[in-house]
Amino acid sequence: MKPTDKQQRDDIFAEPKEMIVDFTFDERVASVFPDMIRRSVPGYGEIIALLGLFAEQYAQPGSTLYDLGCSLGAATLSLRRRIQPADCNIIAVDSSAAMVERCRDNIAHDLATTPVEVICGDIREVAISKASVVVLNFTLQFLPREERLTLLKKIHAGMLPGGVLILSEKLQFSDAESQHFQEQLHLAFKRANGYSELEISQKRAALEAVLVPDTLAQHSERLQQAGFSHIEPWFQAFNFASLAAIK
Ligand code: GEK
């Protein structure tokens, strides 16, 4: 991370806005992103750190690792530091130019040696091949629901046998009691991290049409439909979870 980015605090929704527009990953969001995601997503730092272990265990010689929706490259850097075979490469993709510019800079300042290509583009358009590890860390939730299975099928088709897809997502719950329980705790998490009621409610409105969460059961069923042979939820903090799907 650029030192300036590391210190920049997310105050995007701190002032009352006359009109809430849909959330986009623009320059302003990219500049506060590390602070925003750490204070908004419980378990984010833990997941990032643990992704390295998936790279260590699953990166196959001569294979490619993918970070789809890479933002500033936190997952890419975690994978890169733990890959064992010398002949792997990483492809990181994000559709936000502001994110990609910073991501390239972060990778240039990292000392690990696995080659990384950062592509500014849509993950629905990017070819996947010889993949041993694919990361979708809080990205699938931003695609229209009806396009999620197509993407997972493409990923599955481009993976090597024994490869792993790690899918982290915000969850929704099918019963009202669970939904309320998890939402309240997530709200408490955001308050404890210094977000005001105004910031929380304005951000919720901005994300409403953009981030559409599924249930854990919907994710498991979709991954099965895409062809994955084994699906293992491996992390959950309140309404945020991560699943590993093996080809
Ligand atoms: C991390 N994985 O730090 N194609 C490419 N990129 C996309 C698309 C798309 N169709 N839709 C959204 N994005 C990261 C965090 S953030 C999660 C991921 C969050 C990108 C978008 O530009 C943004 O950078 C990222 O997906 C989602 O581990 O903000 O909650």
Side-chain angles (χ1 to χ4, degrees), residues 79-99:
L79 299 174
R80 196 186 194 202
R81 284 171 195 159
R82 291 234 167 224
I83 293 171
Q84 302 298 311
D87 54 355
C88 288
N89 68 303
I90 303 178
I91 295 181
V93 185
D94 204 286
S95 52
S96 157
M99 290 288 192

Side-chain angles (χ1 to χ4, degrees), residues 25 33 44 48 69 71 94-96 121-123 137-139 143:
F25 292 97
F33 190 73
Y44 171 79
I48 289 292
S71 298
D94 204 286
S95 52
S96 157
D122 196 301
I123 56 174
N137 206 36
F138 303 108
T139 304
L143 288 195

Side-chain angles (χ1 to χ4, degrees), residues 1 23-26 29 33 36-37 40-41 44 47-48 51 67-76 93-97 99-100 119-125 135-144 151 203 207 211 240:
M1 307 287 142
F23 188 86
T24 53
F25 292 97
D26 56 13
V29 167
F33 190 73
M36 171 185 279
I37 196 149
S40 308
V41 176
Y44 171 79
I47 291 174
I48 289 292
L51 285 177
D67 180 6
L68 304 178
C70 60
S71 298
L72 304 185
T76 290
V93 185
D94 204 286
S95 52
S96 157
M99 290 288 192
V100 164
I119 297 175
C120 187
D122 196 301
I123 56 174
R124 289 165 291 189
E125 316 276 300
V135 172
L136 271 171
N137 206 36
F138 303 108
T139 304
L140 191 70
Q141 59 198 13
F142 292 105
L143 288 195
L151 176 70
K203 185 166 184 200
L207 276 173
L211 190 173
F240 292 81

Side-chain angles (χ1 to χ4, degrees), residues 19 23 28 35 43 50 62 66 75 90 106 151 187 200 215 242:
M19 198 177 73
F23 188 86
R28 193 156 178 221
D35 180 68
L50 294 172
Y66 288 84
I90 303 178
N106 292 334
L151 176 70
L187 214 67
I200 292 169
T215 64
S242 191

Side-chain angles (χ1 to χ4, degrees), residues 48-211:
I48 289 292
L50 294 172
L51 285 177
L53 296 181
F54 284 95
E56 188 183 276
Q57 297 299 311
Y58 286 92
Q60 301 177 31
S63 68
T64 302
L65 294 82
Y66 288 84
D67 180 6
L68 304 178
C70 60
S71 298
L72 304 185
T76 290
L77 294 180
S78 178
L79 299 174
R80 196 186 194 202
R81 284 171 195 159
R82 291 234 167 224
I83 293 171
Q84 302 298 311
D87 54 355
C88 288
N89 68 303
I90 303 178
I91 295 181
V93 185
D94 204 286
S95 52
S96 157
M99 290 288 192
V100 164
E101 192 196 332
R102 286 175 167 76
C103 181
R104 289 191 176 128
D105 200 43
N106 292 334
I107 286 158
H109 285 88
D110 177 59
L111 297 178
T113 54
T114 302
V116 182
E117 183 188 357
V118 185
I119 297 175
C120 187
D122 196 301
I123 56 174
R124 289 165 291 189
E125 316 276 300
V126 167
I128 309 283
S129 72
K130 285 199 299 177
S132 56
V133 178
V134 180
V135 172
L136 271 171
N137 206 36
F138 303 108
T139 304
L140 191 70
Q141 59 198 13
F142 292 105
L143 288 195
R145 236 197 212 118
E146 62 280 8
E147 295 184 36
R148 296 177 185 177
L149 178 58
T150 310
L151 176 70
L152 294 183
K153 281 183 174 167
K154 176 180 83 170
I155 291 171
H156 181 267
M159 282 173 64
L160 298 167
V164 66
L165 163 69
I166 298 120
L167 173 65
S168 310
E169 290 272 293
K170 182 175 187 181
L171 294 181
Q172 74 168 355
F173 298 82
S174 46
D175 71 292
E177 203 175 339
S178 298
Q179 184 67 34
H180 178 73
F181 176 89
Q182 303 285 6
E183 253 178 19
Q184 287 308 108
L185 285 159
H186 181 221
L187 214 67
F189 176 83
K190 292 185 103 174
R191 286 192 194 112
N193 284 330
Y195 282 119
S196 68
E197 299 307 316
L198 179 69
E199 285 177 293
I200 292 169
S201 69
Q202 292 196 133
K203 185 166 184 200
R204 184 187 294 138
L207 276 173
E208 194 156 23
V210 179
L211 190 173

